[in-house]
Amino acid sequence: LMNYTILVAGITASLLGMLLMLSIRFFGHWYKSFFVTIFASILVYMTSKLAVHMSAGNPDMYYLTKATQYISLIAVSLPSLMLAFLIINTNSKTHVKGNCFTRLAIVLWNIYVLLLSITQFVPVFYYFTSDNQLVITKYYYLMLLPLLIIMIIDIGGVIKRWKVLSRRHKIAFSVYCLAPLAASLLRVLYPNIYSIA
C-alpha cells in the first residue's frame, strides 16, 4: 500500500509539474525545456516502477517487469545529470554547453548506463528469478556509485558558484542536491520501499 501511494503521488505530482511548466509564459525556452524534461523523467520513472510493482511475481510478465525495471533505472538517473547543466547555466548571460563538471558527469552517467545494461545479460547487480521476483545482489550499490559521484559533483558545482547564486537559487540547489542523497539513504535502509532513488 505504501509503495502504491508513493508511486501514484509521484505520477500525479510529475504530471502537474509538467502542465505547470508548459503553462508558464515568463520562463525562458531553455529553462522551460529543462524542467519539462525533469518532470517527464520523473513521470517515466514512477510509471515504470508502478508497472514493475504490478507485474512482479507473475511469470507471464517476466519480460515486461525486466524492461520496465531497466527503463525506471535509466529515468531516475537523469535529474542528477541534468542538474549539473542547470547549475552552470543559472545566472549566466549565455547558456553554456558544459564545463569540466558536466563532462565528468556525462562520463559517469555513461558508465552507469553501461553497468546497468551489462546486468541485463549477466546478473551482476540484480536479476529476476524464474517466478519473476527481483533479487538485488551484494554488488548492487556499486552500480549506483557513478550516480553518487554525480550528486557529489552537483554539490561541488553549487559550492563553486555559491557567490554568484542568488539566495533563492542557493536554497533551491541545496534542496535539489540534498534530497536525492536523503532518498538514496532511505533506499539503502528500506530497500523494499520505493523512492526517487
Side-chain angles (χ1 to χ4, degrees), residues 26-86:
F26 59 82
F27 255 19
H29 176 73
W30 191 93
Y31 288 105
K32 179 178 285 192
S33 299
F34 174 87
F35 284 108
V36 168
T37 306
I38 285 286
F39 284 115
S41 65
I42 295 173
L43 177 62
V44 171
Y45 168 72
M46 291 291 182
T47 305
S48 300
K49 271 298 184 183
L50 183 60
V52 171
H53 193 62
M54 294 178 68
S55 61
N58 186 343
D60 295 333
M61 295 185 174
Y62 174 85
Y63 291 105
L64 173 63
T65 310
K66 188 173 182 178
T68 50
Q69 173 74 0
Y70 178 79
I71 292 170
S72 72
L73 291 175
I74 291 290
V76 78
S77 67
L78 292 174
S80 293
L81 174 64
M82 295 175 63
L83 178 59
F85 287 90
L86 180 61

